[in-house]
Amino acid sequence: ESSMSPPFLVLLGNLVPGAVIDGFGAEDIDFQTHATSLFFQFDAFVDPMRQPLSYEWAAGTDRHTHDVVGWQPTRSGIVFHRLHDIELPAGKLIFVHVRASSGSRFANVSSDGVRVVANMPVLYGVGIRHSAR
């Protein structure tokens, strides 16, 4: 009878992405009028191995492409980018993508998108009612 030791598994901690928020306020925005600027912020990713992380960002017209802005180095926090020689396409959703890496480990996350419009949308027929209770 042969005695073999069982194989062992080495687990490398996966990077855990933070959220990406379109805009620079506390709330995510869905629309913007600036066609040559892009504001976004993201939480730092969590690395269970506590290694230094490198961050990059890109922007695209869907959650999987970077056809508007190619990958650029960045840091975590609130990020403002004035786009040179490029204008965001009007009426299309623009998704910001952030990726972090540490050695051969990496993780990606994308925003829910922001739409470039000429004028901010106005909601009609919405009122505020005060109750006298």
Side-chain angles (χ1 to χ4, degrees), residues 18-89:
V20 179
I21 297 173
D22 298 301
F24 54 86
E27 299 290 324
D28 183 79
I29 63 170
D30 294 323
F31 302 96
Q32 75 174 43
T33 57
H34 306 286
T36 58
S37 300
L38 198 55
F39 294 92
F40 63 93
Q41 54 191 312
F42 65 96
D43 300 323
F45 289 34
V46 176
D47 181 6
M49 297 179 67
R50 298 186 178 167
Q51 298 295 312
L53 299 176
S54 298
Y55 293 101
E56 295 178 293
W57 77 279
T61 53
D62 68 43
R63 292 186 189 270
H64 306 290
T65 63
H66 52 277
D67 56 340
V68 175
V69 177
W71 291 106
Q72 306 284 320
T74 191
R75 58 181 173 70
S76 63
I78 297 174
V79 180
F80 158 75
H81 286 279
R82 182 166 299 283
L83 307 174
H84 299 284
D85 302 325
I86 192 168
E87 192 163 312
L88 298 173

Side-chain angles (χ1 to χ4, degrees), residues 109-127:
V109 67
S110 296
S111 72
D112 65 352
V114 63
R115 190 175 307 273
V116 178
V117 295
N119 297 303
M120 294 302 282
V122 177
L123 296 176
Y124 293 99
V126 176

Side-chain angles (χ1 to χ4, degrees), residues 8-15 47-49 105:
F8 64 92
L9 180 63
V10 176
L11 295 176
L12 294 177
N14 292 330
L15 302 179
D47 181 6
M49 297 179 67
R105 298 174 308 126

